[in-house]
Amino acid sequence: MKKQLKFLMPYLPSVICMAVIFVFSAQTAENSSTMSDSVVEAVYGNEYIGSHSETLFVRKAAHFLEYSLLGVLLYIGNRKALNKSTGVCVIISSVLAGLYAVTDEIHQYFVPGRACMFSDVILDFCGSLTGASFAAGIILLYSRIKRNNIERNE
């Protein structure tokens, strides 16, 4: 049992992120629009509330960013839990997030006023791939800098 928990612990942040995504997806269209409008107001000002282009940008940016974060968290979890190469961890992380995006869009189909959109799945997958790749790049860069500092000190 301890071995199973030790394996699953690196994924806890990813599961929390998925739960937050689920809660956002469970909002009715009216509640989701209110949230989008408040972001549009904060970013663009009062005169753009209800503007289709700004609201659409905020909604799509939210999709991309939340799945970028999920990609980062899944990548970190996979690096800790699996003994796989960087590229394999990026692919596994992106595929897992992409599969979650599919279930998320199916979930939204059953929420009043929401829709199931394949374009959002693609956007979510791209966000997760970007996030996982970014995390991999940062970790590889950090490892290289650390290795070079150790070599210099020897």
Side-chain angles (χ1 to χ4, degrees), residues 37-154:
D37 285 345
S38 66
V39 173
V40 167
E41 180 182 8
V43 173
Y44 298 105
N46 288 345
E47 64 272 12
Y48 289 101
I49 292 177
S51 169
H52 178 70
S53 60
E54 280 75 16
T55 302
L56 183 65
F57 176 77
V58 165
R59 287 177 175 273
K60 299 309 173 185
H63 268 272
F64 188 85
L65 291 174
E66 67 189 5
Y67 276 88
S68 292
L69 176 60
L70 182 58
V72 167
L73 296 174
L74 282 169
Y75 177 80
I76 292 168
N78 285 329
R79 288 291 294 186
K80 289 181 180 177
L82 307 174
N83 190 18
K84 302 290 181 190
S85 70
T86 299
V88 170
C89 286
V90 168
I91 292 168
I92 290 171
S93 302
S94 300
V95 168
L96 288 174
L99 291 172
Y100 186 72
V102 170
T103 65
D104 183 46
E105 288 301 313
I106 292 169
H107 168 231
Q108 283 186 23
Y109 178 77
F110 296 100
V111 176
R114 303 293 293 267
C116 177
M117 298 178 61
F118 182 70
S119 61
D120 284 347
V121 172
I122 298 299
L123 183 62
D124 296 342
F125 175 78
C126 290
S128 68
L129 181 60
T130 301
S133 298
F134 177 77
I138 294 297
I139 289 170
L140 287 173
L141 181 63
Y142 175 77
S143 298
R144 184 170 290 158
I145 290 169
K146 188 176 176 182
R147 189 172 358 130
N148 287 342
N149 286 340
I150 290 171
E151 289 172 0
R152 284 185 192 140
N153 291 333
E154 289 180 353

